[in-house]
Amino acid sequence: MARVLLTLIVGLFAGVMPAQAQQTFFVQIEAQPTIARAQASIERFLPNVRDLNGFDLGNGWFGIALGPYAEDQAASILSNLRSARLIPSDSYVQASSRYRRQFWPVGANLLGSGTTIVTTETDTQTAALAPQSAEETPQPSDETPSQARASEARLNQQERAAIQEALQWAGFYNGKIDASFGRGTRASMSRWQESNGFVASGVLTTRQRAELFRQFNAVLEGLDLRQSEDVQAGISVKLPLGVLDFDRYDPPFAHYEPTGTLDARVLLISQPGNSGTLRGLYEVMQTLAIVPSEGERSISSNGFTLFGQDANITSFTQASLEDGQIKGFSLIWPSGDEERRTRLLGDMRASFVRLDGVLDSELNAEGTQSIDFISGLAIRKPIKSSSGFYVDTKGTVVTSADAISGCNRVTIDEAHEADILLSDLANNIAVLTPVKPLSPVGVATFQTRVPRLNSEIAVSGFSYGGVLGAPTLTFGSLADTRGLHGETSFHRLALSALDGDAGGPVVDAAGAVVGMLLPAESDGRQLPEGVGFSLNSETISLVLGELGVSIETSETRNAIPSERLNDRASGFTVLVSCWG
């Protein structure tokens, strides 16, 4: 589109230009201090502009210019191309007399011709870069073999490595990126040339290199990737400003939010600190919704990386500690757009520069605060939370089967990953084992004697889904040792428990477990207020025995003070979280 637009702009003046001119003019768009950098700039402009030339400006500078044109035409073209943002805003009209020898295109000499060259055919421009099928005649080269080798010889090491990377991306090169054009690189150039309708010489011409990079960079079109400095954060990095823009500061983050329909975000990380602060940030960020739980993590004394991916987003975070300052970034990108994300991430990592200063912790100090957010970022929350309890010193947990139904993963107290050893839907009981060994603070003791009717009982559970950080004890009484239909595995309770209590231990006045609280609607019926059911301890013991889990038992009914009862029950009650 940019090439066609430029052709239309230039073509408007084709009919009014004289065939000969005593003095010609150019639109100078850039100047570089070395010929190698000028050559690289030419290759960058080639995909979008025509009539491109390179001239020696003297004093060690080399200019890139469009033309030649008549003076009034050059001024009009300059204005139109600036408006279309096809050339830098500081471009200007320059007389040909200010230029010395021409170094690009190789072999050209427009300075002495006095001829104005204007291309008016959009088809001709497009065809010069369009790939052809194998049946078509290969395109004529824009340079002779010797000219191609001469222009290639001017490339620096970084530019040569970039060609290998582009060939590798295109699927023609699988060797080492070493900036050395050996047999493997030459063979890959030949294959690329043949695939794109060029003569397979093994040496890329100037225009062929431009086409290779045009293809390479096509995936980034529309992102408007630019080096950006955030002075407050003390960071300079390439950002895709075509799809996002700065939104706010919530230390230690600078938020860059989407400006359109693409759900992409960038966080710049900036704060003072030490290795302890770094580790704290590492732990906190793993609780955020922008860092999916599935993915690799690594941390050292001076840096960390976090990778997370789910069905919706792919997230990458890097941060490092230098001279008492922690700096880094997070890129959050829609899942399924992996090629563009990978290219963008590579550019961001390569361009990341630490500047002076870090974010002031008082920035946005008056912002809205919420327990569900950290520095303006939502904390990752489970699908549902229930209660459970430790039944042995290995960390085996009993909870309800409903608590772990439909979960991609399950955690104990949000810190310990758990495997599902058993899920018995008939009795609505599940047994979990920790993935890594842990030492419970307390372990449940099971009552072996049948509890008395109307005796005092209590349920220990995370009534509010872990918001309070500790289990709550809810008191009631044993209404019946059977279910409504005479089921011997259930107890009917007289108490008002909450949804989060389900799966928690039901204990007697001595602190021994007499059952596990079942969800209020486990049988599909809405129970009256103050009515609950529990799976009795005898049934739980049988299930655990079949799994080979050894439990502790007790026959005592001696009541203990409510404070001790609360401490004892809290020691073996756990929060069971179900994650999507």
Side-chain angles (χ1 to χ4, degrees), residues 399-414:
T399 186
S400 70
D402 284 2
I404 51 90
S405 175
C407 307
N408 288 333
R409 70 185 186 100
V410 178
T411 60
I412 301 168
D413 286 339
E414 295 188 337

Side-chain angles (χ1 to χ4, degrees), residues 380-436:
R380 187 170 64 252
K381 301 182 71 175
I383 296 173
K384 53 189 173 183
S385 296
S386 302
S387 301
F389 54 102
Y390 288 121
V391 295
D392 66 9
T393 56
K394 296 179 181 178
T396 304
V397 168
V398 165
T399 186
S400 70
D402 284 2
I404 51 90
S405 175
C407 307
N408 288 333
R409 70 185 186 100
V410 178
T411 60
I412 301 168
D413 286 339
E414 295 188 337
H416 310 288
E417 298 281 340
D419 290 328
I420 300 171
L421 185 61
L422 170 76
S423 179
D424 181 351
L425 296 176
N427 289 308
N428 204 345
I429 182 175
V431 181
L432 311 176
T433 57
V435 173
K436 296 180 180 180

